[in-house]
């Protein structure tokens, strides 16, 4: 009994020391005593405020164009445009992907180990409201294929204030798992939210569309709340998080008795079940299954675990994206000594609103970037030209670089990518890369296998880009030209003639390409390995194009011909018969293909997911 009491006393002592770091213990005890003594103020009588979003401040992706309002995230601001109607409407906010189709593609990045099981976010958007309130309800009007929302967060920062707080906090109002509604019809999603201690007028929605049958569409968000602060019912004890990574030798020694005892001590009183007698490799394997914050907590328990949790071999790959709300320069500084062997790093979504600075990031890269082969930085708005210069100088082995939606990077910053001669995968979706910088990148990075230029509006002539790809990047496997302007039949012909190993080609919303020139038939004859082809919203795709695809591209798995007026039911049936690997076929808004025929084809080809969107 007495050894157990001793262990408990030591654990309680350590916990008190940890909590004293935060500087809020007296505040916490005062709050707790007030609750215990029943000294509660009466809840103020106040009127609940209802408001729609005022402005969309940030988002990770959208289906629409950067130069219009159709299917863009900006449609989420203001009053509803569509609700309570259901269906596919251009006035709604739509994310770029849905289902598991994109994850199946050869261009998708490998998942990171140690991703927490409760992190489900694939996309996000941030929406500001006029007036800060203490939230009582959040309502999201979903008008098509609902069920994608997995988390709703509130921020302590007022984005319209001239005096932002030094400490920006994010609190989770609600979190759930990915799901899909029974029906694609419109609904008002209003989950029960938790109470928070600050007023907010900035919400963040995180979504996961992996289970959805088609694109989810959002129409508006309503924030309800009160102006006066409600009394919190309970005081929540703070927990050690990713920012509490440092340890003093004194505290590790104090905790050492829990797990680490010298051989001369009484072995009968060893209270750790001889855990320290396990082989080093076995303990390493056990620790390798822990998420990063749990490793940080475990490292503070004793010297044995501190040694294992700080071993650089535990940090060969590191995903910090799930902890975007808590990651700071201090976090990166504490991680530096552990990441000397780092090969794969995911910092997507992190560091915005000053949490991570360009200086802090550059310091981390200089210390830990020499072995990096994969770097994910999507939606990192702290990035500057200096950051890309440091990446180019310190990461000579880098093969994968993702800068998707880093739309605040200045055009000249992309010139530094030319020094990364070993690049295999480059994602520049929604960036300001200019044509001159891109041509230099293609010249000096001939080993590129996967290139994403979707929605890159600063490129003047995609024919020149296609010609350079054909000449310099003949090993290209996937190319995303989603919503590229001014690609002509000449540029497409050069591209497919030089890059014959292409397996994925996204030409969605490239409206300047005309089927009448025979360019799509030439494409089908030139790319026998083709597995994914998106010709979304090209009204000129015709039966001859599908017949050539059926004859030459038997490996085809994903085909999107949404919006064409010239494809008949006979050519579609022939394509399905000749492409046995086909999994996804989108014929939405194809005027000659009605819903009845689409259902008939679904019955004849049950392994193919045939999409036929509707507008109510």
């Amino acid at each position: 009994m007495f050894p157990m009491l001793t262990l408990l006393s030591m654990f309680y002592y350590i916990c008190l020391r940890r909590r004293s770091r935060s500087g809020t213990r007296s505040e916490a005890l005062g709050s707790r005593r007030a609750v215990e003594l029943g000294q509660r103020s009466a809840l103020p009588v106040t009127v609940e405020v209802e408001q729609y979003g005022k402005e969309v401040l940030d988002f990770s992706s959208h289906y629409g164009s950067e130069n219009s309002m159709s299917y863009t995230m900006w449609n989420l601001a203001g009053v509803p445009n569509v609700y309570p109607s259901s269906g596919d409407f251009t006035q709604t906010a739509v994310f770029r992907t849905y289902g598991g189709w994109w994850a199946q593609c050869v261009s998708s990045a490998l998942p990171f180990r140690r991703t927490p099981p409760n992190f489900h976010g694939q996309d996000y958007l941030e929406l500001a409201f006029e007036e800060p309130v203490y939230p009582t309800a959040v309502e999201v009007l979903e008008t098509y294929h609902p069920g994608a929302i997995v988390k709703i967060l509130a921020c302590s920062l007022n984005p319209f204030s001239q005096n932002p707080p030094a400490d920006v906090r994010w609190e989770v109002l609600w979190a759930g798992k990915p799901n899909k509604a029974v029906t694609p019809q419109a609904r008002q999603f209003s989950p029960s939210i938790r109470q928070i201690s600050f007023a907010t007028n900035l919400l963040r929605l995180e979504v996961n569309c992996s289970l959805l049958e088609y694109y989810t569409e959002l129409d508006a968000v309503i924030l309800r709340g009160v102006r006066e602060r409600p009394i919190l019912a309970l005081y929540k004890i703070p927990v050690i998080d990713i920012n509490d990574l440092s340890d003093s030798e004194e505290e590790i020694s104090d905790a050492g008795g829990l797990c680490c005892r010298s051989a001369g001590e009484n072995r009968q009183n060893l209270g750790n079940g001889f855990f320290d007698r396990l082989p080093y490799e076995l303990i390493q394997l056990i620790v390798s299954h822990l998420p990063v914050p749990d490793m940080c907590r475990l490292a503070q328990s004793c010297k044995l675990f501190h040694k294992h949790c700080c071993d650089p071999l535990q940090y060969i790959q590191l995903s910090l994206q799930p902890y975007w709300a808590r990651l700071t320069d201090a976090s990166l500084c504490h991680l530096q000594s552990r990441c000397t062997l780092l090969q794969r790093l995911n910092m997507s979504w992190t560091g915005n609103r000053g949490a991570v600075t360009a200086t802090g990031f550059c310091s981390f890269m200089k210390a830990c970037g020499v072995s990096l082969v994969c770097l994910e930085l999507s939606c990192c708005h702290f990035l500057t030209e200096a950051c890309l210069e440091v990446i180019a100088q310190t990461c000579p082995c880098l093969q994968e670089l993702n800068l998707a939606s880093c739309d605040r990077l200045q055009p000249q910053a992309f010139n530094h990518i030319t020094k990364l001669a070993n690049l295999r995968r480059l994602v520049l979706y929604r960036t300001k890369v200019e044509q001159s910088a891109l041509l230099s990148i293609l010249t000096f990075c001939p080993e590129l296998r996967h290139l994403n230029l979707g929605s890159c509006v600063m490129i003047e002539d995609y024919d020149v880009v296609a010609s350079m790809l054909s000449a310099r990047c003949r090993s290209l496997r996937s190319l995303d030209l989603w919503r590229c302007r001014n690609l002509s039949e000449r540029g497409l012909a050069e591209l497919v003639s030089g890059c014959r190993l292409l397996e994925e080609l996204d030409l969605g919303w490239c409206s300047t390409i005309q089927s009448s020139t025979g360019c799509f038939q030439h494409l089908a004859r030139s790319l026998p390995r083709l597995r994914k082809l998106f010709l979304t919203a090209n009204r000129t795709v015709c039966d001859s194009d599908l017949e050539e695809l059926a004859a030459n591209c038997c490996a085809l798995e994903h085909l999107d011909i949404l919006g064409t007026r010239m494809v008949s039911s006979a050519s579609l049936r022939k394509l399905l018969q000749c492409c046995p690997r086909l999994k996804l076929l989108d014929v939405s808004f194809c005027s000659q293909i009605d819903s009845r025929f689409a259902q008939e084809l679904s019955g004849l080809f049950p392994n193919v997911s045939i999409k036929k969107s509707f507008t109510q």
Side-chain angles (χ1 to χ4, degrees):
M1 176 178 178
F2 291 106
M4 180 60 70
L5 289 175
T6 303
L7 288 174
L8 291 174
S9 301
M10 292 181 66
F11 180 74
Y12 181 68
Y13 170 69
I14 293 169
C15 288
L16 288 181
R17 294 191 62 175
R18 295 281 175 205
R19 287 173 56 194
S20 67
R21 288 183 181 181
S22 63
T24 60
R25 177 161 175 75
S26 60
E27 204 176 315
L29 291 176
S31 171
R32 200 159 192 171
R33 290 194 189 101
V35 173
E36 290 172 353
L37 297 174
Q39 298 174 354
R40 299 183 182 181
S41 303
L43 187 67
V45 178
T46 184
V47 177
E48 187 177 63
V49 177
E50 175 186 301
Q51 49 187 331
Y52 290 95
K54 178 181 179 181
E55 183 181 351
V56 175
L57 300 181
D58 191 20
F59 56 90
S60 55
S61 77
H62 60 180
Y63 185 91
S65 165
E66 303 301 297
N67 301 316
S68 75
M69 291 297 290
S70 297
Y71 297 120
T72 62
M73 285 297 126
W74 301 302
N75 285 322
L76 207 58
V79 299
N81 298 308
V82 173
Y83 188 85
S85 297
S86 300
D88 191 341
F89 290 89
T90 61
Q91 304 97 315
T92 57
V94 185
F95 291 99
R96 177 69 182 86
T97 65
Y98 69 92
W101 314 113
W102 278 259
Q104 298 171 5
C105 295
V106 295
S107 58
S108 64
L110 293 173
F112 278 76
R113 292 191 298 110
R114 281 204 176 106
T115 300
N118 62 347
F119 178 74
H120 306 292
Q122 292 180 338
D123 276 294
Y124 74 87
L125 66 91
E126 293 179 3
L127 185 62
F129 296 79
E130 181 68 37
E131 180 180 357
V133 295
Y134 294 90
T136 56
V138 176
E139 299 170 7
V140 185
L141 306 183
E142 302 173 276
T143 55
Y144 199 39
H145 288 276
I149 298 171
V150 293
K151 190 176 287 187
I152 303 174
L153 303 99
C155 187
S156 61
L157 171 73
N158 182 347
F160 305 121
S161 172
Q162 299 299 317
N163 301 305
D167 181 28
V168 178
R169 295 165 53 200
W170 285 93
E171 293 286 344
V172 177
L173 299 179
W174 173 86
K177 295 181 179 180
N179 69 90
K180 64 176 179 180
V182 177
T183 170
Q185 302 295 325
R187 74 170 185 181
Q188 181 172 301
F189 179 60
S190 183
S192 296
I193 63 173
R194 61 183 291 267
Q195 208 172 38
I196 59 175
S197 60
F198 55 82
T200 184
N201 63 338
L202 176 57
L203 296 184
R204 177 180 173 117
L205 307 184
E206 292 187 6
V207 303
N208 183 314
C209 302
S210 62
L211 299 182
L212 300 187
E213 295 294 329
Y214 205 58
Y215 297 98
T216 189
E217 299 191 6
L218 310 178
D219 193 16
V221 178
I222 303 170
L223 172 62
R224 301 182 190 275
V226 293
R227 296 183 176 92
E228 301 295 331
R229 176 177 179 176
I231 301 299
L232 297 179
L234 293 173
Y235 169 73
K236 186 175 181 181
I237 297 175
V239 297
I240 300 170
D241 66 12
I242 195 172
N243 288 315
D244 194 9
L245 302 180
S246 61
D247 301 288
S248 68
E249 282 297 321
E250 178 189 355
E251 288 180 336
I252 295 173
S253 299
D254 290 342
L258 294 176
C259 295
C260 306
R261 296 174 183 265
S262 65
E265 293 189 49
N266 187 350
R267 298 180 185 278
Q268 293 181 350
N269 292 329
L270 200 61
N272 65 354
F274 296 95
F275 198 91
D276 50 333
R277 301 296 179 83
L278 293 175
Y280 190 91
E281 295 80 4
L282 183 55
I283 302 177
Q284 284 288 89
L285 178 62
I286 294 171
V287 172
S288 70
H289 291 279
L290 294 176
V292 176
D294 289 348
M295 275 208 303
C296 297
R297 297 183 185 107
L298 185 62
Q300 299 175 68
S301 62
C302 69
K303 287 184 176 180
L304 174 66
F305 287 142
H306 185 270
K307 180 180 180 181
H308 283 280
C309 293
C310 295
D311 191 324
L313 289 173
Q314 293 288 352
Y315 299 86
I316 297 295
Q317 57 175 286
L318 177 64
S319 179
L320 298 175
Q321 182 181 7
Y323 319 109
W324 62 266
R326 293 179 282 168
L327 193 75
T328 64
D329 280 351
S331 308
L332 293 178
C333 183
H334 290 314
L335 283 168
Q336 278 188 20
S337 62
R338 310 180 187 192
C339 296
T340 53
L341 301 178
L342 188 63
Q343 295 180 11
R344 301 185 71 229
L345 174 64
N346 182 6
M347 285 186 61
S348 296
W349 302 7
T350 63
N352 297 335
R353 297 188 170 84
V356 173
T357 64
T359 302
F361 173 78
C362 290
S363 175
F364 182 79
M365 293 305 298
K366 289 175 182 177
C368 309
V370 66
S371 301
L372 269 181
V373 295
C374 174
L375 183 56
E376 301 281 334
L377 296 173
S378 67
C379 307
C380 289
H381 300 313
F382 64 83
L383 290 175
T384 63
E385 181 180 356
C387 295
L388 264 63
E389 184 177 8
V390 168
I391 292 171
Q393 292 172 349
T394 60
C395 305
C397 304
L398 198 64
Q399 297 180 13
E400 300 182 45
L401 178 61
N402 183 355
L403 298 173
S405 291
C406 293
D407 53 351
R408 300 173 199 179
L409 265 176
Q410 294 305 304
Q412 65 271 17
F414 296 94
N415 288 303
H416 296 286
I417 299 176
T418 59
K419 300 173 186 176
L420 300 171
N422 295 312
L423 271 184
R424 303 290 192 276
R425 174 174 165 264
L426 178 61
V427 181
L428 298 176
Y429 168 73
R430 289 191 66 238
T431 61
K432 294 178 180 176
V433 62
E434 291 181 341
Q435 184 167 311
S436 57
L438 180 59
L439 294 177
S440 296
I441 292 170
L442 299 181
T443 300
F444 292 102
C445 302
E447 300 301 318
L448 275 174
R449 302 290 192 274
H450 309 286
L451 179 61
N452 188 331
L453 299 175
S455 294
C456 291
V457 299
M458 304 288 282
I459 298 173
E460 301 91 358
D461 191 345
Y462 273 94
D463 282 352
V464 176
V465 173
S467 178
M468 182 64 77
L469 282 167
S470 175
R472 297 290 299 171
C473 302
R474 291 179 172 267
S475 298
L476 202 65
R477 298 292 196 278
S478 72
L479 178 62
D480 191 331
L481 297 178
W482 176 262
R483 290 189 181 274
C484 76
R485 307 176 300 172
N486 61 43
L487 177 68
S488 72
E489 301 82 7
R490 179 178 60 82
L492 181 58
E494 277 197 74
L495 175 70
V496 300
S497 296
C499 302
R500 290 182 174 270
L501 300 180
L502 273 172
E503 298 178 34
E504 298 177 23
L505 183 57
D506 192 333
L507 300 173
W509 295 88
C510 297
S511 55
T512 52
I513 306 173
Q514 297 296 312
S515 170
S516 57
T517 62
C519 59
F520 295 137
Q521 296 173 48
H522 177 55
L523 180 155
R525 289 190 292 267
S526 302
L527 304 178
R529 297 179 179 221
L530 200 61
R531 295 167 56 185
K532 171 183 172 180
L533 178 62
F534 273 33
L535 301 176
T536 316
N538 191 303
R539 315 298 183 189
T540 67
V541 176
C542 63
D543 285 345
S544 300
D545 302 324
L546 264 60
E547 289 169 3
E548 286 294 335
L549 286 171
N552 298 282
C553 302
C554 59
L556 197 62
E557 296 177 6
H558 304 156
L559 177 63
D560 186 340
I561 54 171
L562 176 148
T564 182
R565 305 184 181 96
M566 304 174 68
V567 167
S568 68
S569 55
S571 63
L572 206 57
R573 189 189 298 269
K574 182 178 180 182
L575 176 79
L576 287 163
Q577 291 170 342
C578 296
C579 298
R581 300 183 188 177
L582 200 62
K583 300 175 183 177
L584 173 66
L585 175 61
D586 195 338
V587 292
S588 300
F589 303 108
C590 292
S591 54
Q592 294 191 45
I593 310 299
D594 57 27
S595 298
R596 180 195 57 77
F597 182 69
Q599 291 176 358
E600 179 185 333
L601 289 179
S602 296
L604 294 172
F605 303 93
N607 295 327
V608 184
S609 184
I610 300 176
K611 307 301 179 184
K612 182 67 177 174
S613 187
F614 73 89
T615 300
Q616 192 179 69

